Amino acid sequence: MQAVDNFILERWRLLDATVVLAALAQHAKVDATYVPATSILSTRWHANVGGQDFELLLTGPKFWDTRSAKGGGGAVDLVMHLERLSFKKATARLAGLGL
């Protein structure tokens, strides 16, 4: 894969994590009982990606994996985390998903 254009990278940095999760997950469900502690924009999701279960807090482009106590921001970081991919493979995955 060729180098990714900076415009595309910026779009992926700002892409809402719920959009990315919906594209990656075999199953994803928002937890309607979740009451955010800090940002009222945060949501909690239970998802299965690649056969692994995750509990994620999502706020805009940012994510926090409550089980592994790891987080990040942007679509590339989320794909790298959920699918355990390198940067290069994560960008190819996002491009393949049409995001």
Side-chain angles (χ1 to χ4, degrees), residues 75-87:
V76 176
D77 278 357
L78 185 54
V79 172
M80 288 172 64
H81 177 73
L82 295 178
E83 296 193 345
R84 292 184 168 85
L85 297 175
S86 67
F87 177 85

Side-chain angles (χ1 to χ4, degrees), residues 31-67:
D31 183 348
T33 65
Y34 176 66
V35 178
T38 53
S39 173
I40 61 169
L41 301 176
S42 291
T43 54
R44 179 167 55 200
W45 290 79
H46 300 280
N48 183 284
V49 177
Q52 185 173 350
D53 291 325
F54 294 91
E55 181 182 271
L56 301 167
L57 302 181
L58 306 179
T59 308
K62 296 180 180 182
F63 71 92
W64 180 256
D65 182 338
T66 63
R67 294 177 182 167

Side-chain angles (χ1 to χ4, degrees), residues 4-18:
V4 180
D5 181 89
N6 284 336
F7 177 77
I8 294 171
L9 283 174
E10 183 61 23
R11 184 168 48 84
W12 286 339
R13 270 189 214 99
L14 300 174
L15 188 60
D16 195 289
T18 59

